[in-house]
Amino acid sequence: MKKTKAKILFLLAVLLELIGNFVISYTDGFTDPVPSVICFLIYSFSAFLFGFSLKEINLGIAYAVWSGVGIVFLAIVSVTWFHLPLTKVDIIGLIMIIIGVVGMDLFGAKEE
């Protein structure tokens, strides 16, 4: 698998995971069957694509980006869609996550 294809699969996996995280809020604790099944399918396909992307992408970097993007995206969704508060400490934490993920990607160990 080429690096470009792996990156595309990774981006699709992250996008699906973000959608799954959004859908999970509508499962009512996994008691509502339709959104629960949709959520399960989205997460499953996301994990499938993520696994394939790891053939060419460093696991540590991939998981850091996966987690960081998810946290920042869900914080934005929580504020804009669900109207939940975001404190100054929350914002500082999000900025630190972004700096950490970007730092790992730019300055971390490079693959050969």
Side-chain angles (χ1 to χ4, degrees):
M1 175 184 304
K2 294 191 178 201
K3 189 84 163 178
T4 304
K5 184 178 178 184
K7 287 182 179 182
I8 291 169
L9 291 177
F10 175 72
L11 290 174
L12 288 172
V14 170
L15 179 63
L16 286 171
E17 190 257 347
L18 297 175
I19 293 168
N21 285 336
F22 181 75
V23 172
I24 202 170
S25 62
Y26 293 100
T27 65
D28 195 26
F30 291 104
T31 59
D32 190 347
V34 173
S36 297
V37 169
I38 291 170
C39 184
F40 174 76
L41 292 173
I42 290 170
Y43 276 139
S44 297
F45 194 55
S46 174
F48 178 77
L49 294 177
F50 183 71
F52 270 107
S53 73
L54 293 179
K55 289 182 178 182
E56 295 290 332
I57 299 174
N58 178 301
L59 173 62
I61 300 298
Y63 196 72
V65 171
W66 172 287
S67 301
V69 169
I71 291 167
V72 172
F73 173 79
L74 289 175
I76 293 168
V77 167
S78 295
V79 170
T80 57
W81 190 268
F82 299 112
H83 307 291
L84 298 174
L86 201 61
T87 67
K88 289 179 185 177
V89 174
D90 296 333
I91 293 169
I92 291 168
L94 291 170
I95 291 169
M96 290 171 64
I97 290 169
I98 292 167
I99 291 170
V101 169
V102 170
M104 283 182 71
D105 192 36
L106 294 178
F107 305 111
K110 299 296 178 192
E111 299 171 23
E112 299 192 22

